[in-house]
Amino acid sequence: MYSSLQLTIKYLKYYFSASNGKGHGIHSPFVFEFIKHVLNDTRHYAIYDSAEGMRKQLLKEEAYIEVEDFGAGSVLLKNRRRKIKDIAASSLKPKKYSRLLFRMVQYYKAAHVLELGTSLGITTAYLASADNEPEVTTMEGSENIAAIAQQNFAGLDLENIKIITGDFEQVLAPYLQTASVDLAFLDGNHRKQPTLQYFEQLLKRSHNDTIIVLDDIHWSREMEEAWEAVKGHSAVTLSIDLFFIGIVFLRKEFKVKQHFTVRF
């Protein structure tokens, strides 16, 4: 991964070169609508309080668990035996982005949502809390982490989540044999080839309105290369770079491929 200094420099370049987050100068009506109604939706939803309350509990949890890690691994945590509060501090997506994912599911009415990388389930809870009550499937490599996530879903009274435990290399393909995907969030492996492999697998079960979100697209050189490959894929007609996440759309009505870097 890039060092903290490298990431800071990259972020500053992004920040000062990106379109402002108000939609000024954006000539795509679709992207302008996304910025206005999704990115800048300032309404306060009930899940914001309940999910963040759960996050606060996890950040105080002193218990240890054994963790299996099939991805690129935690930046901060190298031991298999880890405190839950340390996992929460290093692995949970910040509320800003979890809330954005919730609003995307809500606004675009995604009925079938797939998440690769459950962690402790906070982002999953956001994804599952849209008004349209989506069917959410989330995949987690570590059985012990998945067990805690399951407890958190129960604590938040979320019954529309199915969690699948195992190596994505083994569990994703069987799931996709019968699944349809309206929105997918890839947050489980920060290496180039697996990311591109999962993306290609998802495309086979996607449709015109499917949205695919990649996490940590500037985390490392590998992830930047993966993001560039995804952006350039023939199936992708529109992409949005928010620095910490990248969003791609597959809509065939967009005849010319477009890419936007937007400040968030």
Side-chain angles (χ1 to χ4, degrees):
M1 67 164 289
Y2 288 124
S3 68
S4 296
L5 177 59
Q6 288 173 310
L7 281 173
T8 299
I9 293 171
K10 285 180 173 291
Y11 181 79
L12 290 173
K13 288 181 178 178
Y14 149 81
Y15 186 85
F16 288 111
S17 63
S19 300
N20 71 60
K22 301 299 181 182
H24 302 150
I26 297 290
H27 299 296
S28 163
F30 182 87
V31 177
F32 183 83
E33 180 183 87
F34 168 80
I35 292 172
K36 180 178 179 180
H37 296 295
V38 184
L39 204 66
N40 291 329
D41 180 357
T42 58
R43 287 174 289 180
H44 192 85
Y45 297 91
I47 184 59
Y48 290 8
D49 295 324
S50 55
E52 292 312 310
M54 184 69 72
R55 187 196 301 267
K56 287 179 181 177
Q57 293 179 31
L58 292 167
L59 287 168
K60 297 176 182 177
E61 181 55 63
E62 295 283 349
Y64 283 90
I65 60 171
E66 293 285 331
V67 176
E68 310 96 325
D69 197 336
F70 297 102
S74 169
V75 177
L76 301 175
L77 308 176
K78 297 303 182 183
N79 296 324
R80 285 174 56 93
R81 189 168 182 268
R82 304 173 188 172
K83 280 187 178 182
I84 293 172
K85 72 174 187 179
D86 293 336
I87 297 171
S90 67
S91 301
L92 293 180
K93 201 68 186 159
K95 65 182 180 182
K96 178 178 180 179
Y97 296 94
S98 295
R99 291 175 175 182
L100 174 60
L101 289 165
F102 158 79
R103 296 196 298 270
M104 289 175 65
V105 176
Q106 176 106 332
Y107 187 78
Y108 295 109
K109 296 180 171 56
H112 304 284
V113 177
L114 174 64
E115 178 187 42
L116 299 186
T118 314
S119 187
L120 299 171
I122 298 300
T123 299
T124 321
Y126 275 106
L127 291 168
S129 296
D131 289 343
N132 60 308
E133 297 183 352
E135 175 187 285
V136 176
T137 300
T138 183
M139 298 182 176
E140 170 57 43
S142 169
E143 291 186 5
N144 290 332
I145 289 180
I148 296 171
Q150 191 70 67
Q151 293 173 8
N152 292 335
F153 303 151
L156 294 170
D157 293 323
L158 293 170
E159 299 180 353
N160 55 325
I161 300 173
K162 177 184 179 181
I163 187 164
I164 298 175
T165 306
D167 187 343
F168 301 158
E169 300 286 337
Q170 300 175 4
V171 300
L172 180 59
Y175 168 77
L176 289 174
Q177 287 180 0
T178 57
S180 176
V181 180
D182 299 323
L183 184 144
F185 178 44
L186 279 63
D187 184 27
N189 191 313
H190 290 70
R191 295 191 297 250
K192 178 181 177 180
Q193 289 308 317
T195 298
L196 294 179
Q197 177 184 326
Y198 305 151
F199 177 73
E200 290 285 355
Q201 289 177 284
L202 285 168
L203 286 180
K204 296 176 183 178
R205 304 302 301 180
S206 298
H207 52 81
N208 191 67
D209 295 334
T210 295
I211 303 167
I212 301 176
V213 183
L214 284 76
D215 191 43
D216 288 333
I217 56 173
H218 296 288
W219 184 75
S220 66
R221 186 179 300 278
E222 271 198 81
M223 285 305 296
E224 287 188 327
E225 291 174 353
W227 172 237
E228 289 300 318
V230 167
K231 279 173 25 182
H233 195 285
S234 59
V236 172
T237 56
L238 188 150
S239 54
I240 301 174
D241 183 338
L242 300 178
F243 191 79
F244 288 105
I245 64 172
I247 307 167
V248 298
F249 299 86
L250 314 175
R251 297 183 178 230
K252 293 181 173 60
E253 60 267 31
F254 303 148
K255 301 302 182 183
V256 178
K257 185 187 288 286
Q258 301 174 83
H259 174 69
F260 296 86
T261 302
V262 179
R263 194 178 301 159
F264 179 50

